[in-house]
Amino acid sequence: MSDTAEKLPKVKIFATGGTIAGASKSNTDNLHYQAGSIGIQGLLDAVPEIHRIAEVSGEQFLNVGSHEIRSQDLLKLSKLIQEQLDEGLAEGIVVTHGTDTLEETAFFLDLTVKTDKPIVIVGAMRPATAISADGPLNLLQATALAANLQARSRGAMVLLNDRIQSAYYTTKTHANALDTFRASEQGSLGFFQNATPHFYYSAANPTGKPQFNCSKISELPIVDVVYSHQDAGADLLQASVDRGAKGVVIAASGNGWASPALELAALKLTKTGFPVVFSTRTGNGFAIKPIEQGIGSGLINAQKARIVLMLALASNYNSEQISQCFNPA
Ligand code: ASP
């Protein structure tokens, strides 16, 4: 190994599958393909330039479409990453991931890994076999970001399509387009010029971001999401309780209103101490709720509010502490 190679920062890549590792029978078919077909070595082989940026080591954590990823996988991944960083084995972490639930994994890692080192979650919208596949450049940039000192103390980040985004705020907004990850109110943290990141602001973390310690959590409770609409009844909420959910998030309309049947059922549950969190299905803005009627999720969307609630329940938080996770004083 040359002197230069020895000086490169160490970046650990955990591969989980997704379209970035997807293969299609035809290089012009971006719709019918098998996510999670190509292994970590195949991903690295597609972008040999990566070895000029960092001393990379890869690990195949999973190889699936991201709709198959479960919260137990997230718990395990978070602990593995914490271990890598605590033991000084990596200066930064990259997780390759399907884009469908990428924001959930990114958010989970943001809330649970205690570090100032960069954790970058990367995916692709076109399979690896496609003409103009976006995966190789995304992976190169994600690795460059994980290796970059300027990327520290910004929380976990999402990297696709040249944009650096906060894992806390960003969400998938388009089922097909390359430019799908957005935080329309909060914007991007920065962008890439070739393999060089450019940040708009100096390092900061989202206001009031809760932090959870996974080292003592061995299991996450069931928390369901129930979608409200004009005719929403209470039966799906009740079905969640019956199947053992320890909390429910309602994807409510506007700033936190559910249908009358759901509101009433949620109120009854809230009075027994069962946590019901109201988020907004609008995609932006605050969901609010008087504490005696439930918990407003603030700026956190339903799929992310579910993660906060699972972690808060697993940490034995009381209702006041749960509420503070969403609405810090
Ligand atoms: N269905 C894929 C997945 O989430 C989509 C993607 O990766 O873009 O695994």
Side-chain angles (χ1 to χ4, degrees):
M1 200 181 280
S2 74
D3 283 356
T4 332
E6 276 163 27
K7 284 193 198 111
L8 291 177
K10 291 191 175 98
V11 171
K12 175 85 181 191
I13 304 178
F14 290 97
T16 72
T19 297
I20 192 168
S24 171
K25 288 201 181 96
S26 154
N27 65 358
T28 52
D29 188 352
N30 293 334
L31 296 176
H32 307 97
Y33 60 91
Q34 185 66 44
S37 300
I38 295 169
I40 176 67
Q41 196 53 50
L43 298 186
L44 293 174
D45 288 349
V47 53
E49 299 78 4
I50 209 167
H51 301 291
R52 285 191 224 139
I53 288 172
E55 187 185 326
V56 292
S57 59
E59 186 169 328
Q60 195 73 51
F61 179 72
L62 290 169
N63 209 358
V64 295
S66 67
H67 61 283
E68 294 175 64
I69 293 181
R70 299 286 167 264
S71 43
Q72 286 307 315
D73 300 321
L74 303 191
L75 194 56
K76 196 169 151 200
L77 182 60
S78 170
K79 289 180 183 183
L80 272 176
I81 291 175
Q82 190 72 65
E83 211 175 274
Q84 287 285 320
L85 296 171
D86 289 351
E87 289 175 15
L89 300 173
E91 295 310 310
I93 302 287
V94 171
V95 178
T96 65
H97 203 288
T99 60
D100 290 351
T101 69
L102 185 150
E103 69 189 87
E104 291 167 62
T105 299
F107 186 76
F108 190 98
L109 297 176
D110 196 27
L111 266 48
T112 58
V113 182
K114 198 170 179 339
T115 184
D116 64 341
K117 293 185 180 158
I119 299 174
V120 185
I121 301 82
V122 61
M125 290 301 285
R126 293 182 183 145
T129 47
I131 295 175
S132 300
D134 50 332
L137 184 58
N138 287 351
L139 182 58
L140 183 81
Q141 292 179 340
T143 305
L145 188 60
N148 194 294
L149 290 177
Q150 302 298 318
R152 292 189 173 195
S153 303
R154 295 175 185 272
M157 289 165 283
V158 172
L159 188 290
L160 262 95
N161 206 38
D162 293 335
R163 293 213 168 73
I164 306 164
Q165 283 169 312
S166 154
Y168 192 78
Y169 289 121
T170 198
T171 190
K172 187 172 181 179
T173 63
H174 196 293
N176 320 101
L178 295 193
D179 203 10
T180 179
F181 283 94
R182 284 172 191 254
S184 56
E185 285 291 321
Q186 296 83 10
S188 307
L189 302 181
F191 70 99
F192 262 85
Q193 288 173 309
N194 297 328
T196 307
H198 176 88
F199 290 100
Y200 297 125
Y201 306 103
S202 47
N205 263 281
T207 312
K209 180 173 86 177
Q211 202 70 43
F212 298 95
N213 180 355
C214 276
S215 67
K216 293 194 182 75
I217 301 177
S218 56
E219 215 181 336
L220 291 159
I222 298 174
V223 172
D224 282 327
V225 176
V226 174
Y227 205 90
S228 183
H229 52 85
Q230 289 181 331
D231 295 323
D235 35 1
L236 291 180
L237 181 53
Q238 190 55 47
S240 286
V241 177
D242 293 345
R243 84 180 192 102
K246 299 289 179 264
V248 169
V249 175
I250 297 181
S253 47
N255 66 356
W257 287 98
S259 68
L262 263 182
E263 285 280 348
L264 189 63
L267 186 62
K268 283 186 190 156
L269 284 173
T270 296
K271 281 189 176 147
T272 69
F274 183 96
V276 182
V277 174
F278 291 78
S279 63
T280 173
R281 59 179 207 183
T282 63
N284 271 307
F286 284 87
I288 51 173
K289 210 74 183 164
I291 189 68
E292 58 285 356
Q293 291 174 26
I295 298 165
S297 78
L299 291 169
I300 307 301
N301 70 21
Q303 56 271 35
K304 291 180 177 180
R306 176 181 163 271
I307 288 169
V308 173
L309 190 50
M310 280 195 301
L311 287 166
L313 288 165
S315 309
N316 297 316
Y317 282 14
N318 62 30
S319 35
E320 197 182 323
Q321 288 171 308
I322 294 175
S323 168
Q324 275 167 10
C325 292
F326 296 100
N327 305 287

